[in-house]
Amino acid sequence: MKLSTQALSQEERELVHRRTLEILENVGVCIKSERALKALADHGADVSFDTQIAKIPERLIVQCLETAPKSYVLGARNPKFDFPMPAKRVGHILDGITTNIIDLETGERRPSTKEDVFNTGRVFQQMDMGAVAWSGCSALDMPPETHCLHEFAAILQGTSKHIQFELRHKGESRYAVEILKAVLGSEEEVKRRKIASVLYCPISPLTHDDSMLDAYLELAEYDVPVNIYPCPIVGLTSPASVFSTVCLINAEVLSGLVIYQLIKPGLPLMYGSCSGTADPRTGDYVDKEESVLISMASREMAKYYGLPSVLSGGGSPETVPQYMIEPELIDGIGTMDDGMTTDLAGMVMQNEFCCRNVRIARGIRVDEETDLIEEIIKQGPGGGFLGSKSTRRMFRDSSEIYVSKVFPDSFRHTATEMEDMRRHATEVAKAILKGPVEDELPQSVQMKIEEICKMADRDLAGLA
Amino acid sequence: MEGRKDMVMKELLDKMRAAVLDGEEEDAVALAKQALADKLDLKIVMDEGFLKGIQEAGQLFADGEYFLPDLVCSADAMKAALEVLDEELKKPAGGFTSKGKIIMTTVQGDVHDIGKIIVGAMLTAVGYEVHDLGVDVPNEEVLSAIDEIKPDVVGLSALLTTTMIEQKNIIDMLKASGKRNSVKVIVGGAPVTHEWADKIGADGYSDDAISAVALVDRLLS
């Protein structure tokens, strides 16, 4: 059977829901977007335009949970990478958005560029576990007003998997749509294929900023899915307990869900959860044990509402429980320095840890193929199994006996395991970048995207 | 009789020290009000009471005994006491001089608060007078506050790659109005780096609150 685990009992899930209602109905959320506030007021929420606080009644939450789709497909530029939600297997999201990259040639950390975003997409393209490419690193060599658009353009050209991107200003939205139209050919195809979604971060605690929200509300007209991804830090921007942080995340996701569903009923949404814990001595964000538990509980709350989920914190050996709870997507490959540095060699290594975690979470298969009693009888005491047909077969079946495609088992459990893996992973990443660009966009489309970016640079200068 | 009075005063000062050390804001306010009502010598109240508490809290933090929330609570209690005593302390005989005035603010377009609060608490704990302007503060308001408060240092926080640019804009506005040399500008926030600080002409950058205090000490030495 599959390994299974549980973070909250049914009663505890119901308590999270009740606490969430208490928060949304009595405390409310701060919403800095006039458009969102107006939509809530029009639908009967208790809204103060002075304080920008909206108190959301249970009735609206129930209504919006009903209109939020429970299944849809995150399309990809290459349809073979289309990712259905809910998913049959867990996929990984490329982590982002960092401001630095580890240079593959020098091994040094340096500010990232648009070309780095493109290269990050190219390496991600080859990662088995990689399903959705967040923009990776920042295009710091581009104008500050439009760097998000440049990152979107670059990652879209680097990988043909589903893209998740960010915008910071509603002025950018129409250029993002133009880029999608340049790739897909028409507005109808943009709506139908959904090859890109956006990452939306409420600002903990309980605040919805206007810049990102207004930009995405524009994109909602084009059915661009939204990952509502609260990122509280336990002890700083959420209370210092796992349970109450889960409640806060739930309130932030549901209030975001209400905003998006009121403005565009039926818009595909993801229940996201990304958390860290404050370093008690410095206040720095630290991704550690509590994050695993918060992610697991958030997955259960997403399931409670029937929503697809995106969790943070995969790609390391201690995150196995997150794979056992079977979210659709896990964020967490490709970065280091608590999400501030993109690391292409690290991405190759983290992809490997993901594969290992998936193997463990798959559990123990008991069927005709794996019940090898006949082999034991045949070999008897003192016999061996290396020459058995079943051994030969199973060693080729990674769902039973995991054999890495990238790292030899001889690296494992040595004093230099991590150094050996990093050295090897660096060569793997370099080899990918030396090879051809997979699913490269036609030159004419690349040029069109470049023109759109330049137009945005010109039109949006000074708007940041 | 005099001995008993001394003992009562000593107990009171110890309560003030403990109120700040333990981060008990309400106790600190009550004790500060009592000090005013009893017309106590505020230099003694500060030096042997409240300041002693914040200094001990700072030392415990430096020793690794206190965590950040302990220090923030102590700083809040200290600030609350100072607010009560503010007017009297400002009089020539008030007996309290801060190490310097600091403005802390999160730049316009950015609502992230925490890093700035931590740095502000640390600076308060070592004796600076910290004025926190809040978050998403328009650049013009930052400049007005600099005119009004006349700080020694202004700290500009930005958590987003898109709002970092406001740190540069404020420095440029200070230059344009001929006030750049009247105040030291320090910058911080997750995406901010030494390179960025140098590029925009800031006086300093630090990537955590402890080195921010060292930076301010250095800039004002």
Side-chain angles (χ1 to χ4, degrees), chain A residues 186-228:
Chain A
S186 71
E187 194 176 306
E188 289 66 36
E189 281 296 283
V190 172
K191 290 180 180 172
R192 190 181 71 81
R193 291 286 295 129
K194 298 180 179 52
I195 67 165
S197 53
V198 285
L199 185 116
Y200 171 67
C201 295
I203 295 171
S204 301
L206 302 170
T207 301
H208 295 275
D209 200 8
D210 56 349
S211 48
M212 200 181 238
L213 182 54
D214 282 338
Y216 298 167
L217 291 178
E218 298 283 318
L219 292 178
E221 296 307 313
Y222 301 88
D223 293 340
V224 174
V226 182
N227 174 12
I228 305 175

Side-chain angles (χ1 to χ4, degrees), chain A residues 133-152:
Chain A
W134 188 6
S135 306
C137 47
S138 295
L140 293 181
D141 53 338
M142 294 294 119
E145 297 90 342
T146 53
H147 75 88
C148 291
L149 276 174
H150 284 279
E151 287 148 15
F152 174 44

Side-chain angles (χ1 to χ4, degrees), chain A residues 19-35:
Chain A
R19 290 280 181 265
T20 301
L21 295 181
E22 273 180 62
I23 295 168
L24 295 180
E25 288 185 318
N26 302 328
V27 181
V29 285
C30 179
I31 301 174
K32 293 179 177 291
S33 158
E34 284 286 315
R35 185 177 174 191

Side-chain angles (χ1 to χ4, degrees), chain A residues 330-362:
Chain A
I330 303 181
D331 169 24
I333 63 171
T335 68
M336 56 186 287
D337 296 345
D338 282 327
M340 294 314 296
T341 304
T342 289
D343 178 11
L344 299 181
M347 189 196 302
V348 177
M349 292 167 69
Q350 287 161 340
N351 183 68
E352 172 65 18
F353 292 129
C354 298
C355 293
R356 294 177 186 179
N357 289 351
V358 165
R359 169 62 194 102
I360 295 170
R362 193 177 288 120

Side-chain angles (χ1 to χ4, degrees), chain B residues 42-59:
Chain B
L42 292 189
K43 182 164 171 47
I44 295 174
V45 163
M46 288 302 293
D47 289 349
E48 294 175 36
F50 295 122
L51 272 176
K52 206 169 170 187
I54 197 72
Q55 283 158 0
E56 280 183 33
Q59 189 57 50

